[in-house]
Amino acid sequence: MPLNFSTSRKPLTSFALAGLADIVLLLLIFFLLTSSFIPQFGIRVNLPRVEAGAPTQARYVTVVITEDGRFYVEQQQVAREDLLSTLRTVKGDRNTLVLRADRKATVEQFAYVASTAKALGMTILMATERPDVSPRR
């Protein structure tokens, strides 16, 4: 006796995309939120490593000192003697300066940027990298 596996129901010919649209929307939101936390800086410097750091505010002016002593304000190269006027121009209502100095930058260069920022009434934060340490048990 042969077995009959046929059924009287019609095969499903339409597919609901509502579930797929929800998943794509959630993935889009996830990637948008996580990508905004990764700052992309165009000028590469080797930052010094420290154990703890201060949180930065959302509104700040970035100054970079490269290994060979060049100054960049908001990713635009600036001569040392023009640093004060450039900072005064880009400052606006921001009152925090984040200094990203290469490890090989001199203390004199850091002091020059810090004194210029203090003359404009700005708070100075030094950007550093946290060392890769494993948690202590």
Side-chain angles (χ1 to χ4, degrees):
M1 175 189 275
L3 296 176
N4 185 8
F5 290 106
S6 64
T7 177
S8 62
R9 292 188 293 174
K10 292 182 181 179
L12 182 63
T13 57
S14 65
F15 184 71
L17 294 176
L20 181 64
D22 290 343
I23 292 172
V24 170
L25 181 63
L26 287 175
L27 285 174
L28 178 66
I29 292 171
F30 171 76
F31 286 122
L32 286 174
L33 288 177
T34 57
S35 67
S36 66
F37 295 121
I38 304 170
Q40 298 294 326
F41 296 107
I43 303 163
R44 302 270 310 153
V45 292
N46 294 321
L47 297 175
R49 295 187 183 276
V50 296
E51 293 296 323
T56 60
Q57 298 174 2
R59 300 180 53 123
Y60 54 85
V61 176
T62 303
V63 175
V64 177
I65 303 174
T66 60
E67 179 180 358
D68 54 356
R70 289 179 287 164
F71 293 91
Y72 291 85
V73 176
E74 298 292 327
Q75 299 188 0
Q76 299 295 321
Q77 187 171 359
V78 175
R80 180 181 171 134
E81 50 275 353
D82 297 333
L83 187 64
L84 178 64
S85 62
T86 305
L87 281 177
R88 185 177 288 130
T89 303
V90 300
K91 178 185 173 197
D93 62 343
R94 300 180 282 188
N95 61 355
T96 303
L97 182 137
V98 175
L99 178 60
R100 300 183 72 240
D102 192 273
R103 290 180 188 166
K104 295 183 180 178
T106 64
V107 174
E108 178 186 3
Q109 294 164 338
F110 170 76
Y112 182 76
V113 174
S115 64
T116 304
K118 277 296 185 189
L120 295 172
M122 299 178 80
T123 305
I124 299 115
L125 298 176
M126 179 75 176
T128 57
E129 290 181 351
R130 296 187 79 180
D132 296 327
V133 293
S134 60
R136 296 181 183 175
R137 294 181 181 199

